[in-house]
Amino acid sequence: MGKNDFLTPKAMANRMKAKGLQKLRWYCQMCQKQCRDENGFKCHCMSESHQRQMQVFGQNPTRVVEGYSEEFETTFLDLMRRSHRFSRIAATVVYNEYINDRHHVHMNSTEWATLTEFIKYLGKTAEEEKQEREIQRQIERASEMFNAGDEDETDVEKKKYEDLSLKRIKQAVTTGGQARGESSKHMFEDEDDERGEKRKRSGGDSERRSALDELMREEEKKKERMNRKAYWLFQGITVKGVVREVIDNYVGEIEMLDSKHVLRVDQEELETVLPQIGGLVKIVNGAYRGSNAKLLGVDTDKFCAKVQIEKGVYEGRVIKSIEYEDICKLA
């Protein structure tokens, strides 16, 4: 039997040593090779295969370390979910179970130097996820309350307009009846009296119109106070690209028009965009926030635009002066 054969005592002893856990500082993650002493690790580092792996690592070291860190975190949490799903356990116990696998991702190849740092990272991540969920729940509750309030306001507004319309019809009928009665009684009076009567009727109509305009102005002021927000991003508008998603009201996931890359950009770095005359815009702030409208014209001196709302309760309403910052082009 040869000196280095498979069944020699030395070969068997070497295999028995290799089965157990070795020192972490003598393990090469890039080559996935465990050395038993410092001299063996030094020889491995001088080998040609290790040099090739280090060239690969040198091209993008951050990406390699992040990949190992993600794999370590995923495997560690999976083991904890499988083995200790409903029990409280020390992190060192889970780590000892994790490193029983000889081919696991070693911690010296991750961004965490110690197990304590890794556990602190997990705690911080869990706390951030908890806060994000709580913020999302608050946003959803606020959105439901806003929608409910908007629906109630819409119903009230519709009722006001219906009552106002009925009132105007009754006044018109009453005025017409009185005019017919007076014309039958004073059929042969002078034309001056008829002209005076016409002036009175026109004066009454103008008063009613002014009252209606005043009512509409009050409602717009109320809606302006309710719908004026510090944030204005909406899904589907065009800024530097198309906003695909809005995160926490102030951050947008934007798909660039040319490169199609998706970036996360804060609204402070963005500006609204106007389409050509006749194009569609989204009203992103103010009284009619969230409505789609058609751009009818622009006033470059006053930095305002004229738009007509397309759909919804206010369909057909023309807003004669709305600021550039309150409207944005729809994709």
Side-chain angles (χ1 to χ4, degrees), residues 198-211:
K198 287 180 181 178
R199 281 197 295 271
K200 289 180 182 178
R201 288 199 296 268
S202 63
D205 292 339
S206 62
E207 290 178 0
R208 286 194 293 272
R209 281 197 297 271
S210 62

Side-chain angles (χ1 to χ4, degrees), residues 7-164:
L7 295 178
T8 59
K10 185 173 182 179
M12 295 175 65
N14 288 339
R15 287 197 298 276
M16 291 175 67
K17 289 179 182 178
K19 279 185 178 180
L21 294 174
Q22 307 293 317
K23 287 191 176 182
L24 192 61
R25 62 177 178 169
W26 295 333
Y27 181 82
C28 176
Q29 186 65 59
M30 289 296 295
C31 304
Q32 296 184 355
K33 181 174 177 60
Q34 175 71 61
C35 301
R36 287 198 292 270
D37 52 29
E38 188 174 355
N39 184 52
F41 187 71
K42 183 178 179 180
C43 292
H44 169 71
C45 292
M46 296 174 62
S47 65
E48 185 179 353
S49 61
H50 178 77
Q51 295 297 327
R52 286 196 300 268
Q53 292 293 331
M54 292 310 294
Q55 288 178 1
V56 174
F57 176 80
Q59 292 176 359
N60 198 340
T62 304
R63 183 176 179 181
V64 174
V65 173
E66 287 179 353
Y68 285 138
S69 301
E70 289 177 4
E71 186 177 351
F72 179 87
E73 179 184 357
T74 302
T75 311
F76 187 93
L77 293 177
D78 287 344
L79 176 63
M80 191 164 62
R81 290 190 191 98
R82 290 196 306 268
S83 303
H84 310 284
R85 186 176 182 85
F86 302 106
S87 60
R88 190 171 182 175
I89 196 71
T92 51
V93 175
V94 182
Y95 181 71
N96 288 331
E97 294 178 359
Y98 172 77
I99 62 178
N100 281 335
D101 182 10
R102 183 181 175 186
H103 299 292
H104 68 275
V105 176
H106 289 60
M107 187 170 282
N108 67 344
S109 60
T110 67
E111 58 186 82
W112 306 289
T114 62
L115 182 62
T116 303
E117 291 183 9
F118 175 64
I119 298 304
K120 287 181 179 179
Y121 161 79
L122 290 180
K124 183 180 178 182
T125 305
E127 186 65 26
E128 288 176 353
E129 291 179 353
K130 183 180 178 181
Q131 290 178 357
E132 288 180 0
R133 288 195 298 269
E134 181 62 27
I135 291 172
Q136 187 62 33
R137 283 196 293 267
Q138 291 178 2
I139 292 172
E140 291 174 356
R141 286 198 297 268
S143 178
E144 291 175 358
M145 292 173 64
F146 176 78
N147 292 334
D150 198 18
E151 289 175 0
D152 294 341
E153 184 180 355
T154 302
D155 294 339
V156 171
E157 194 174 62
K158 285 183 177 178
K159 192 173 185 303
K160 284 182 179 179
Y161 282 125
E162 289 174 358
D163 294 342
L164 186 60

Side-chain angles (χ1 to χ4, degrees), residues 111-285:
E111 58 186 82
W112 306 289
T114 62
L115 182 62
T116 303
E117 291 183 9
F118 175 64
I119 298 304
K120 287 181 179 179
Y121 161 79
L122 290 180
K124 183 180 178 182
T125 305
E127 186 65 26
E128 288 176 353
E129 291 179 353
K130 183 180 178 181
Q131 290 178 357
E132 288 180 0
R133 288 195 298 269
E134 181 62 27
I135 291 172
Q136 187 62 33
R137 283 196 293 267
Q138 291 178 2
I139 292 172
E140 291 174 356
R141 286 198 297 268
S143 178
E144 291 175 358
M145 292 173 64
F146 176 78
N147 292 334
D150 198 18
E151 289 175 0
D152 294 341
E153 184 180 355
T154 302
D155 294 339
V156 171
E157 194 174 62
K158 285 183 177 178
K159 192 173 185 303
K160 284 182 179 179
Y161 282 125
E162 289 174 358
D163 294 342
L164 186 60
S165 299
L166 290 172
K167 186 177 179 181
R168 291 182 65 184
I169 291 170
K170 289 178 180 178
Q171 288 175 347
V173 171
T174 305
T175 305
Q178 291 175 352
R180 285 192 297 272
E182 289 174 359
S183 63
S184 62
K185 290 179 181 178
H186 308 285
M187 188 177 297
F188 303 104
E189 289 185 355
D190 296 334
E191 291 183 357
D192 294 338
D193 294 337
E194 294 179 1
R195 290 172 183 171
E197 186 66 26
K198 287 180 181 178
R199 281 197 295 271
K200 289 180 182 178
R201 288 199 296 268
S202 63
D205 292 339
S206 62
E207 290 178 0
R208 286 194 293 272
R209 281 197 297 271
S210 62
L212 177 61
D213 293 339
E214 186 64 27
L215 177 62
M216 292 178 65
R217 281 196 293 270
E218 289 296 328
E219 290 176 356
E220 287 187 353
K221 288 179 182 179
K222 182 180 178 182
K223 290 183 69 65
E224 175 72 20
R225 289 193 298 268
M226 290 180 59
N227 294 339
R228 176 66 60 178
K229 308 293 183 184
Y231 49 88
W232 54 268
L233 284 178
F234 273 86
Q235 185 176 356
I237 63 174
T238 299
V239 280
K240 292 181 178 179
V242 179
V243 179
R244 298 302 183 193
E245 185 180 355
V246 179
I247 302 169
D248 295 338
N249 294 327
Y250 292 91
V251 179
E253 278 196 355
I254 300 174
E255 181 180 337
M256 307 306 290
L257 298 176
D258 297 331
S259 61
K260 301 300 181 183
H261 292 160
V262 178
L263 306 175
R264 287 192 176 185
V265 185
D266 191 272
Q267 73 169 16
E268 292 294 331
E269 303 176 14
L270 302 172
E271 293 180 351
T272 57
V273 176
L274 295 183
Q276 296 180 351
I277 303 299
L280 288 178
V281 297
K282 171 78 77 174
I283 301 177
V284 297
N285 219 339

